[in-house]
Amino acid sequence: MIQLTRAFSVMFDISETEAQVFSSKFSPELLPKNAYFLQTGERCNKFSFISSGLVRVFAETEKREVTQWIGDAGHFLTDISSFMFREPARWNIRALSETTLWTLSYADYLQFEKELPAWNMLEKRFVAKCFSVMENRIFDFIALSTEERYARYFAQYPNHFNQVPLQYIASLLGMSPETLSRIRAK
């Protein structure tokens, strides 16, 4: 819970006391290795914080699986379109290892707005942060070479290369596993 409180405080620039109020609404959840947090077509009914472990967000197309994100400790987890707009999920979210979460149900999420006056401002910051991450990712795909995308990802998440199957990282970076292997060999 301390890790979640700290994340709220830092990410949303609020006091430790305010962060504790928000964190107290989350419940612990254990996601066993290979268990699904969410499957395509379901409605996402939870918003979680990853305390430990790894998860993969991916979709299956007719031709292949596409990895959108690999989440680890210190990150929030949900299918934001499904959670916020109550749409069927496009993404599968599956644990790559035993994963410990702090989870807020959709019903409790709706109560935040009523019970916690600062929630609207925090929600706005969270969505803006998500948008910023998405913009950076789009920029990387448009402006950087495969080698530069690899170098940037490796600099940010070096531990993933020992814990995540390389074909998932290759997919996340928009390259084939063979291209990733060639880049790593250099």
PDB file of all heavy atoms in Angstrom, residues 6 15 32 36 93 101 107 126 129 134:
ATOM      1  N   ARG A   6       2.672   6.308  -2.504  1.00  0.00           N
ATOM      2  CA  ARG A   6       3.777   7.088  -3.061  1.00  0.00           C
ATOM      3  C   ARG A   6       3.540   7.402  -4.534  1.00  0.00           C
ATOM      4  O   ARG A   6       3.790   8.515  -4.998  1.00  0.00           O
ATOM      5  CB  ARG A   6       5.091   6.326  -2.873  1.00  0.00           C
ATOM      6  CG  ARG A   6       6.307   7.209  -2.952  1.00  0.00           C
ATOM      7  CD  ARG A   6       7.577   6.509  -2.491  1.00  0.00           C
ATOM      8  NE  ARG A   6       7.517   6.209  -1.057  1.00  0.00           N
ATOM      9  CZ  ARG A   6       7.830   5.028  -0.524  1.00  0.00           C
ATOM     10  NH1 ARG A   6       8.250   4.042  -1.266  1.00  0.00           N
ATOM     11  NH2 ARG A   6       7.754   4.851   0.774  1.00  0.00           N
ATOM     12  N   SER A  15      -0.511  15.718  -1.684  1.00  0.00           N
ATOM     13  CA  SER A  15       0.120  15.441  -0.396  1.00  0.00           C
ATOM     14  C   SER A  15       0.034  13.956  -0.061  1.00  0.00           C
ATOM     15  O   SER A  15      -0.813  13.229  -0.587  1.00  0.00           O
ATOM     16  CB  SER A  15      -0.562  16.243   0.709  1.00  0.00           C
ATOM     17  OG  SER A  15      -1.841  15.697   0.988  1.00  0.00           O
ATOM     18  N   PRO A  32      -2.295 -14.782 -10.818  1.00  0.00           N
ATOM     19  CA  PRO A  32      -1.295 -15.828 -11.062  1.00  0.00           C
ATOM     20  C   PRO A  32      -0.692 -15.710 -12.457  1.00  0.00           C
ATOM     21  O   PRO A  32      -1.290 -15.135 -13.373  1.00  0.00           O
ATOM     22  CB  PRO A  32      -2.099 -17.125 -10.947  1.00  0.00           C
ATOM     23  CG  PRO A  32      -3.348 -16.763 -10.218  1.00  0.00           C
ATOM     24  CD  PRO A  32      -3.623 -15.332 -10.565  1.00  0.00           C
ATOM     25  N   TYR A  36      -5.574 -14.085 -16.878  1.00  0.00           N
ATOM     26  CA  TYR A  36      -6.014 -12.880 -17.565  1.00  0.00           C
ATOM     27  C   TYR A  36      -6.587 -11.873 -16.578  1.00  0.00           C
ATOM     28  O   TYR A  36      -7.424 -12.213 -15.743  1.00  0.00           O
ATOM     29  CB  TYR A  36      -7.080 -13.202 -18.612  1.00  0.00           C
ATOM     30  CG  TYR A  36      -6.518 -13.777 -19.883  1.00  0.00           C
ATOM     31  CD1 TYR A  36      -6.356 -15.157 -20.031  1.00  0.00           C
ATOM     32  CD2 TYR A  36      -6.125 -12.954 -20.927  1.00  0.00           C
ATOM     33  CE1 TYR A  36      -5.832 -15.687 -21.199  1.00  0.00           C
ATOM     34  CE2 TYR A  36      -5.596 -13.474 -22.097  1.00  0.00           C
ATOM     35  CZ  TYR A  36      -5.451 -14.836 -22.221  1.00  0.00           C
ATOM     36  OH  TYR A  36      -4.928 -15.350 -23.377  1.00  0.00           O
ATOM     37  N   ILE A  93      -5.267  -8.558 -21.450  1.00  0.00           N
ATOM     38  CA  ILE A  93      -4.237  -8.221 -20.469  1.00  0.00           C
ATOM     39  C   ILE A  93      -3.975  -9.491 -19.673  1.00  0.00           C
ATOM     40  O   ILE A  93      -4.878 -10.019 -19.020  1.00  0.00           O
ATOM     41  CB  ILE A  93      -4.671  -7.059 -19.548  1.00  0.00           C
ATOM     42  CG1 ILE A  93      -5.045  -5.825 -20.385  1.00  0.00           C
ATOM     43  CG2 ILE A  93      -3.560  -6.752 -18.547  1.00  0.00           C
ATOM     44  CD1 ILE A  93      -5.593  -4.658 -19.575  1.00  0.00           C
ATOM     45  N   LEU A 101      -1.412  -6.802  -7.412  1.00  0.00           N
ATOM     46  CA  LEU A 101      -2.071  -5.562  -7.802  1.00  0.00           C
ATOM     47  C   LEU A 101      -2.781  -4.933  -6.609  1.00  0.00           C
ATOM     48  O   LEU A 101      -3.140  -5.617  -5.657  1.00  0.00           O
ATOM     49  CB  LEU A 101      -3.138  -5.837  -8.873  1.00  0.00           C
ATOM     50  CG  LEU A 101      -2.700  -6.558 -10.140  1.00  0.00           C
ATOM     51  CD1 LEU A 101      -3.919  -6.993 -10.952  1.00  0.00           C
ATOM     52  CD2 LEU A 101      -1.803  -5.670 -10.974  1.00  0.00           C
ATOM     53  N   ALA A 107     -17.324   0.388  -9.756  1.00  0.00           N
ATOM     54  CA  ALA A 107     -18.324   0.982  -8.848  1.00  0.00           C
ATOM     55  C   ALA A 107     -17.653   1.917  -7.846  1.00  0.00           C
ATOM     56  O   ALA A 107     -18.145   3.030  -7.589  1.00  0.00           O
ATOM     57  CB  ALA A 107     -19.104  -0.116  -8.134  1.00  0.00           C
ATOM     58  N   PHE A 126      -4.315  12.097 -14.827  1.00  0.00           N
ATOM     59  CA  PHE A 126      -4.046  10.718 -15.236  1.00  0.00           C
ATOM     60  C   PHE A 126      -4.271  10.555 -16.743  1.00  0.00           C
ATOM     61  O   PHE A 126      -3.433   9.992 -17.448  1.00  0.00           O
ATOM     62  CB  PHE A 126      -4.929   9.729 -14.462  1.00  0.00           C
ATOM     63  CG  PHE A 126      -4.758   8.314 -14.927  1.00  0.00           C
ATOM     64  CD1 PHE A 126      -3.634   7.593 -14.580  1.00  0.00           C
ATOM     65  CD2 PHE A 126      -5.717   7.709 -15.730  1.00  0.00           C
ATOM     66  CE1 PHE A 126      -3.447   6.289 -15.028  1.00  0.00           C
ATOM     67  CE2 PHE A 126      -5.543   6.413 -16.188  1.00  0.00           C
ATOM     68  CZ  PHE A 126      -4.413   5.705 -15.831  1.00  0.00           C
ATOM     69  N   LYS A 129      -1.556  12.223 -18.643  1.00  0.00           N
ATOM     70  CA  LYS A 129      -0.327  11.420 -18.588  1.00  0.00           C
ATOM     71  C   LYS A 129      -0.400  10.277 -19.600  1.00  0.00           C
ATOM     72  O   LYS A 129       0.567  10.014 -20.330  1.00  0.00           O
ATOM     73  CB  LYS A 129      -0.123  10.887 -17.167  1.00  0.00           C
ATOM     74  CG  LYS A 129       1.085  10.029 -16.975  1.00  0.00           C
ATOM     75  CD  LYS A 129       2.335  10.834 -16.920  1.00  0.00           C
ATOM     76  CE  LYS A 129       3.487   9.957 -16.460  1.00  0.00           C
ATOM     77  NZ  LYS A 129       4.750  10.615 -16.600  1.00  0.00           N
ATOM     78  N   MET A 134       1.239   8.079 -24.933  1.00  0.00           N
ATOM     79  CA  MET A 134       0.833   7.669 -26.271  1.00  0.00           C
ATOM     80  C   MET A 134       1.487   8.553 -27.338  1.00  0.00           C
ATOM     81  O   MET A 134       1.989   8.054 -28.348  1.00  0.00           O
ATOM     82  CB  MET A 134      -0.690   7.735 -26.404  1.00  0.00           C
ATOM     83  CG  MET A 134      -1.193   7.247 -27.747  1.00  0.00           C
ATOM     84  SD  MET A 134      -2.977   7.366 -27.898  1.00  0.00           S
ATOM     85  CE  MET A 134      -3.194   9.136 -27.886  1.00  0.00           C
TER      86      MET A 134
END
